[in-house]
Amino acid sequence: MIIQNTVSDPLSNILSLSELRAKCSVRLQAGGRWALQFRPIELKFNVVRWGECWLRMDGMAPCHLKVGDCFVIARKPFILASGLDVEAINASDVFSHAGASATFGVGDDVELLGGSVSMVGPTATELLDVLPPALIIRAESAGASSFGWLLDELDREWQSNQPGAHVMSNDLLRLIFVRALRHHISVADAADLNWLGALGDPIIAAALRAIHGALDKPLRLAEMARMAGMSRSGFAALFKARLGRAPVEYATRWRMHVAASLLRNGRGKITTVAASLRYLSNAAFGAAFRRVHGKSPGQYRRDCSTAKLASQK
C-alpha cells in the first residue's frame, strides 16, 4: 500500500489548533408567550426541530425561524422568543433547574436542539473573527439537513455516557463548524470573508499552503513570490490586501500559533519547540513569540498550566 502525503490545508490547520471543546448539548421545548435570553460561551449551534420562533439580537433585524432552520451564534447574547415584543428572562435560570432538557411557557409549540462550544487554542480568535454575529442556515439551503443531523448525533453522543462520547462530541462539533464555515463562504460577500475569502484565490491559497506546510523551513518573501509567478512587491501587495498582513508577518504568526499549541499541551521544552521551528536561539524565538502573544513562551506555558488546573477544580 502506498500512502501519499496530504497537501497542507490551512483551514484544517487552523481548526486543529483552535481546540474546539463541547461544553453542553441542550433541548428546549416552549409554548405560548415566551422569550429566553442566551449568553454563548463562544459559539452556540442550534436547529429548530419543530415549530417556529424569533431570533432577536442587538444590531440585527429580528429573524423568523422555522422547522429545519439552523443558526450559529458567535459570542453575542441573543433572544429566542415567540414574538417580537415579549420580555426575555435569562435562559440560565431555566436550565439551572431543568438540566439539559427544559420546558418553558405553556405547551410545546416549538422545540430547539443546541450545542455550546468553547475554543481554548491559540487560533480561536482567527476563527471567531471571520464569523458574523449570527449565521443563519435555512432549511431549504444546501447542507441544512446534514447540519441538523449532526446536531442530532451530537445530542445522542453527549447524553449517551458511552465510552468515547466526549471525543465523538468534539469531532461532531468540528464537522458542524466546518459545515457552517463552508455555508458562510458560499453565501457571504467576498469583502466580508476576511482570510476565508483568500482560500478561494488560487495564488494566495497556494502561498498559504506553502506557509502552513513549511514549519521547518521558513519561507522568504522572494520564494513565495516566485511560487506565485509574481514580483515581490506585487505579491506582497496582493497578499496584504487579501489577508490584512504582510506575507512574512503572516508566516511568523502562524509559526507562533503552532509554538503556542505545543507549549500549551506540554509537548517539549521551550528550547525544543524553538529548534523544531528552526530558530537559532531561544532569544530570537522568545522575541517573535512575545510579538504575537504579548508574553514570553515561559509565561504563556505557566498561564496555560494554571488555567488547566483551575478548570479541573
Side-chain angles (χ1 to χ4, degrees), residues 264 302-312:
R264 174 184 174 80
R302 288 190 294 273
D303 290 348
C304 289
S305 296
T306 301
K308 284 183 179 180
L309 288 172
S311 68
Q312 293 168 2

Side-chain angles (χ1 to χ4, degrees), residues 131-167:
L131 285 176
L135 175 59
I136 312 298
I137 304 175
R138 293 296 185 183
E140 60 271 18
S141 301
S145 60
S146 61
F147 194 98
W149 179 85
L150 287 166
L151 278 167
D152 281 338
E153 287 297 304
L154 171 64
D155 183 55
R156 279 191 283 271
E157 282 297 330
W158 188 259
Q159 307 296 339
S160 72
N161 292 320
Q162 291 291 316
H166 279 197
V167 173

Side-chain angles (χ1 to χ4, degrees), residues 112-235:
L112 295 106
L113 177 64
S116 291
V117 182
S118 68
M119 290 186 183
V120 298
T123 58
T125 299
E126 268 80 354
L127 286 170
L128 290 170
D129 284 349
V130 299
L131 285 176
L135 175 59
I136 312 298
I137 304 175
R138 293 296 185 183
E140 60 271 18
S141 301
S145 60
S146 61
F147 194 98
W149 179 85
L150 287 166
L151 278 167
D152 281 338
E153 287 297 304
L154 171 64
D155 183 55
R156 279 191 283 271
E157 282 297 330
W158 188 259
Q159 307 296 339
S160 72
N161 292 320
Q162 291 291 316
H166 279 197
V167 173
M168 283 286 288
S169 294
N170 288 332
D171 286 344
L172 285 165
L173 280 169
R174 276 187 284 272
L175 288 172
I176 291 168
F177 193 43
V178 172
R179 285 283 188 186
L181 286 174
R182 286 179 174 174
H183 177 81
H184 183 46
I185 291 170
S186 70
V187 300
D189 291 336
D192 297 330
L193 286 172
N194 200 302
W195 60 266
L196 276 178
L199 298 177
D201 184 315
I203 293 175
I204 301 301
L208 290 175
R209 288 193 295 270
I211 291 169
H212 282 246
L215 293 174
D216 60 344
K217 184 189 175 186
L219 295 174
R220 298 180 182 276
L221 176 59
E223 294 176 274
M224 290 186 254
R226 186 166 56 251
M227 286 188 292
M230 300 177 67
S231 68
R232 286 188 297 179
S233 59
F235 172 75

Side-chain angles (χ1 to χ4, degrees), residues 33-305:
R33 184 176 170 83
W34 63 276
L36 292 173
Q37 183 176 57
F38 296 82
R39 299 181 182 276
I41 301 169
E42 275 162 348
L43 285 175
K44 188 166 177 59
F45 303 92
N46 302 266
V47 62
V48 181
R49 299 289 298 279
W50 72 67
E52 56 188 311
C53 64
W54 287 90
L55 169 65
R56 292 155 35 190
M57 292 179 66
D58 287 343
M60 185 184 87
C63 179
H64 187 228
L65 300 170
K66 304 184 295 297
V67 61
D69 288 346
C70 309
F71 60 99
V72 182
I73 307 293
R75 295 182 286 195
K76 196 170 181 179
F78 66 96
I79 293 171
L80 294 175
S82 59
L84 300 180
D85 58 350
V86 187
E87 186 174 352
I89 70 168
N90 288 327
S92 58
D93 295 338
V94 175
F95 282 95
S96 64
H97 302 295
S101 184
T103 301
F104 187 65
V106 180
D108 57 355
D109 299 336
V110 63
E111 180 180 272
L112 295 106
L113 177 64
S116 291
V117 182
S118 68
M119 290 186 183
V120 298
T123 58
T125 299
E126 268 80 354
L127 286 170
L128 290 170
D129 284 349
V130 299
L131 285 176
L135 175 59
I136 312 298
I137 304 175
R138 293 296 185 183
E140 60 271 18
S141 301
S145 60
S146 61
F147 194 98
W149 179 85
L150 287 166
L151 278 167
D152 281 338
E153 287 297 304
L154 171 64
D155 183 55
R156 279 191 283 271
E157 282 297 330
W158 188 259
Q159 307 296 339
S160 72
N161 292 320
Q162 291 291 316
H166 279 197
V167 173
M168 283 286 288
S169 294
N170 288 332
D171 286 344
L172 285 165
L173 280 169
R174 276 187 284 272
L175 288 172
I176 291 168
F177 193 43
V178 172
R179 285 283 188 186
L181 286 174
R182 286 179 174 174
H183 177 81
H184 183 46
I185 291 170
S186 70
V187 300
D189 291 336
D192 297 330
L193 286 172
N194 200 302
W195 60 266
L196 276 178
L199 298 177
D201 184 315
I203 293 175
I204 301 301
L208 290 175
R209 288 193 295 270
I211 291 169
H212 282 246
L215 293 174
D216 60 344
K217 184 189 175 186
L219 295 174
R220 298 180 182 276
L221 176 59
E223 294 176 274
M224 290 186 254
R226 186 166 56 251
M227 286 188 292
M230 300 177 67
S231 68
R232 286 188 297 179
S233 59
F235 172 75
L238 176 63
F239 192 100
K240 188 167 185 177
R242 298 305 301 268
L243 281 94
R245 301 182 189 279
V248 173
E249 179 190 2
Y250 178 94
T252 299
R253 186 177 178 83
W254 170 242
R255 294 168 75 213
M256 292 306 102
H257 282 328
V258 173
S261 180
L262 294 172
L263 293 170
R264 174 184 174 80
N265 293 293
R267 298 175 189 166
K269 299 178 179 179
I270 293 172
T271 301
T272 305
V273 173
S276 71
L277 296 172
R278 294 299 184 265
Y279 276 86
L280 299 179
S281 70
N282 285 354
F285 171 66
F289 192 93
R290 188 183 292 275
R291 283 197 302 273
V292 173
H293 296 292
K295 60 184 72 175
S296 69
Q299 185 62 54
Y300 182 89
R301 185 167 60 182
R302 288 190 294 273
D303 290 348
C304 289
S305 296

